[in-house]
Amino acid sequence: MLTTPFDPAHLSESVFAVPPLARNEVGQVCAVENQKIIQFLEAGGVRSLLYGGNAVFYHMKPSEYAATLRLLADASSDQTTVVPSIGPSYGLAADQVEMLRGFDFPTAMLLPSRDVVDPQGIASGIRRLAERLGKPLVVYLKFDRWLEPSLIEALHRDGAISWIKYAVVLDDPSQDDYLREVLDVFPSERVVSGIGEQPAIVHLRDFGVEGFTSGCVCVAPERSMAMLRAIQDGDFDTAESIRQWFQPLEDLRNHYSPIRVLHHAVQEADIATTGPILPMLSDLDEEVVGQIRNVVQSMRSHQA
Ligand SMILES: N[C@@H](CC=O)C(=O)O
C-alpha cells in the first residue's frame, strides 16, 4: 500500500472503493480472495480503498484486527491508499488505534453510531483518538446533524480531521442544508460524497466536493472511474449514463441491504469468493442472490 502521509490530492485521483471483506468457509478473513478483489479494483484504475461498513468492520473480532490490517497492507500495490476503520464504540476504537500505530496507514475512519453518543462526546472522542494515533481521522457523517458544524470547525482547527465522508441520504440530494453548513466550515477539497454513484454528480458538480466513495465500483471499477473522470471533465451526460447503468444494482442494495447485496454481487460477478457474512448480518436467500446474479449479468451485457 501507499505509505506516504495523507494527501488531499488523492481524493480526486480515484474513486474511493469501499469493498466487502472476503472470508473463507470457516469465517476467517481470506488473503487470497481479498487480494483478488483488490487486484481487480487496481486493474480497473482504482487507487483508494476504504474498509468500513461494506467490509463489516463493525463486527470484526478485536483478535483478528491486526492480522487483517497486515493482510490489506500487503495485498495492495504501493500506489494504493488503504484506509481501515475503527470503532464504532470508543473503547474498541481506542484499542484498535494502539494496533494501527504499528502500521503506515495514512489515516483511519471512525465508524459512526447513533447509540450512546452525543455530539460533544463524539467530538472529544475523535480528538482523543486522532491524538493517540498521531494522525487526523476520517469523519463519517452518515446522519443529519450528527456533528454540528461548530464542532466540525473546532476539530478542523485542531487538525483532527483528514477528510470527511459525507453520506447523509436524502430523497433529493440537491436540497441539503447540512452539507452546505459543513462546507461553510471545512474545505470542500477534503470532503468526499459517501453514498456511491447515485448522488455523486450532484455532490461534486453542485456542492463542489472532491470525489466519491462507492461499493458498486467493486463490480465495475473502470465504469465508476470513468464516471469520476466525466464529472471532473464536465461531461455530465456521460456521467449520468454511467450513473443509470449502476442503478439496478444500487436499487437491489437499497431494497435488500447495501452491504449484503454488495457482498454477494462481488461473488456473482466472479471477482472473488466472498464467503459467509459475519453474524449480526444474515445471508440473503437464494431467490435474492438470483436477482443479484441477473442484474450483474445484465450490467455486463450492456457494457459493450
Ligand atoms: N455506502 C456506499 C459508499 C460507500 O461508503 C456504498 O456502499 O456504495
Side-chain angles (χ1 to χ4, degrees), residues 16 18 50 54 140 165 194-197 213-216 250 253 258 262:
F16 234 112
V18 187
L50 173 62
N54 292 339
Y140 186 170
K165 178 182 193 288
I195 328 174
E197 287 75 10
T213 68
S214 165
C216 287
E250 205 64 69
R253 296 184 70 205
L262 181 68

Side-chain angles (χ1 to χ4, degrees), residues 122-259:
I122 295 166
S124 79
I126 291 171
R127 193 172 277 107
R128 282 200 208 193
L129 291 165
E131 259 169 34
R132 183 63 192 152
L133 181 60
K135 295 171 189 170
L137 295 177
V138 180
V139 170
Y140 186 170
L141 298 178
K142 190 175 169 67
F143 313 112
D144 196 26
R145 269 58 183 209
W146 188 68
L147 266 185
E148 288 131 33
S150 59
L151 293 170
I152 295 172
E153 188 172 25
L155 286 168
H156 173 42
R157 221 175 20 243
D158 294 347
I161 304 178
S162 55
W163 51 278
I164 289 177
K165 178 182 193 288
Y166 186 83
V168 177
V169 176
L170 298 176
D171 289 339
D172 180 356
S174 70
Q175 303 301 312
D176 193 332
D177 293 340
Y178 185 38
L179 179 52
R180 292 239 174 266
E181 292 161 24
V182 170
L183 292 169
D184 283 343
V185 298
F186 192 81
S188 58
E189 301 77 34
R190 290 203 270 138
V191 179
V192 169
S193 173
I195 328 174
E197 287 75 10
Q198 298 311 306
I201 298 175
V202 171
H203 281 171
L204 273 74
R205 181 192 58 203
D206 301 346
F207 289 85
V209 311
E210 197 64 15
F212 65 89
T213 68
S214 165
C216 287
V217 66
C218 300
V219 173
E222 291 98 346
R223 276 270 159 141
S224 191
M225 284 295 293
M227 181 171 166
L228 175 63
R229 294 290 171 252
I231 297 172
Q232 289 168 337
D233 292 346
D235 180 358
F236 299 114
D237 289 345
T238 298
E240 174 59 19
S241 75
I242 299 174
R243 186 193 71 75
Q244 288 179 18
W245 183 82
F246 275 110
Q247 191 154 10
L249 182 57
E250 205 64 69
D251 287 347
L252 276 185
R253 296 184 70 205
N254 289 334
H255 190 75
Y256 291 108
S257 152
I259 295 174

Side-chain angles (χ1 to χ4, degrees), residues 8-83:
H10 292 159
L11 302 177
S12 60
E13 282 165 9
S14 170
V15 175
F16 234 112
V18 187
L21 191 67
R23 290 176 176 271
N24 65 18
E25 60 290 349
V26 291
Q28 293 160 336
V29 181
C30 179
V32 172
E33 298 303 314
N34 285 297
Q35 183 148 38
K36 285 186 195 170
I37 297 172
I38 291 171
Q39 287 177 343
F40 179 73
L41 285 162
E42 289 174 340
V46 169
R47 293 292 177 272
S48 303
L49 308 174
L50 173 62
Y51 282 85
N54 292 339
V56 202
F57 265 52
Y58 283 90
H59 299 308
M60 179 177 284
K61 289 186 214 161
S63 59
E64 61 186 356
Y65 189 70
T68 304
L69 296 180
R70 171 51 52 215
L71 183 157
L72 297 176
D74 290 347
S76 49
S77 87
D78 60 8
Q79 300 297 307
T80 298
T81 299
V82 182
V83 177

